[in-house]
Amino acid sequence: MARLFKRISFVLLVLLQYNCIAQNTKPINAFMVTHTINNNTTFHIPNQPLFFQSNKTTNTQFSILHSADEYFQLSATILSVKGKLFAFGQEQIFNSDDTAGLNSTELAWLKEVVNKPKTVEVKQFHAVQSPNKSNPFFDIELEDAGKYFLPFASSIVKTGLSWSDSTFSDSSKFIHQYLILKVQDNRVTVSVLSDLIIRTSFTQSGQMIQQNLKGIARAERIYDLNTAKMLSESVSTKLSGSSNNGTDIIPLTIELKATSVVSWKQKRPE
C-alpha cells in the first residue's frame, strides 16, 4: 500500500491562527452522524446501458480516541443502515434493524458492516484514505471525518474568509476551495468546491474492479461558531470515467446527492 501524504496550502496569512483539534475535542465524549446519500450511476454499455440507483441512510457513532494539533483518531461504528437498490429491473430493500432479513443470503453483507468498530485517522483536517476498498458503497472512510471540525478559532471567523487545501492518495487527487458565506446567529455557513480525480481499486463479488473517475463536488456546511463543530452538510457530486474488471472497460457517469446531520454529546463531568 502506497503511503498516503497530504499537503495543506492556505490563501490567507490569517490562517496561521489554525484551530487546535485537541482544544475542540476535549469536551466531547462521542457524536452521532446520520448520513443520507442518493446515487444514480449509468454504465454506458453499447446498445444496452445499465442504470443503477440507490439510496442509503447510515447512522454512525463516533468516539474520539486521541487528539493533538491537526491530528485525531476516531472509533467509528455503524449502528444502522437502511435503504434500497435498483438495478437490472429489480429492487432490493435493506434494513439492518430487520434481524430476520439479515439471515437471508442477499443481505448477509449487512452483518459485515453493522456494529463493527473501525479506527479512522484524521491528519491535517482530512481522513486518511486507504487505496484498497472492500466495499466502497458502505466504507466509512469515503466520508471525510476531518470535515466535522472547522479549522479556525472563532475570533478570526468572518464572512469572506477563504482558504484551500489539497489531498493526495496514490493516484487520486482532491483539491478543495472553501469560502465562508455567512456568519449569523452563532452559525457559520461554509461553501466547499472540490475538484476530484479518483483512481481506486476494490473487490466486488470476488472480482477486482478498477475505477478512474473525474468530476466536481459542491457542498454547503453549517458549523456552530462557538464550538467550531459541524452541524449539517449538503453536497452534490458529479463524476464521469470508466470501470475496468480486467476484461472490459466500461464508461460510466455517477451523480450523488448527500446530506449529513451531526448530533454532539458533551462529556460527562468526572
Side-chain angles (χ1 to χ4, degrees), residues 32-36 57-60 148 233 259-263:
M32 178 78 71
V33 176
T34 299
H35 180 251
T36 300
T57 298
T58 305
N59 289 296
T60 305
Y148 298 128
E233 178 193 51
T259 60
S260 295
V261 178
V262 187
S263 175

Side-chain angles (χ1 to χ4, degrees), residues 20-29 64 67 149 229 265-268 270:
C20 174
I21 292 180
Q23 174 183 334
N24 288 339
T25 59
K26 280 182 179 179
I28 302 168
N29 181 38
I64 295 176
S67 61
F149 297 90
K229 300 176 181 66
K265 298 180 180 179
Q266 297 299 318
K267 186 174 181 181
R268 298 175 182 176
E270 298 180 355

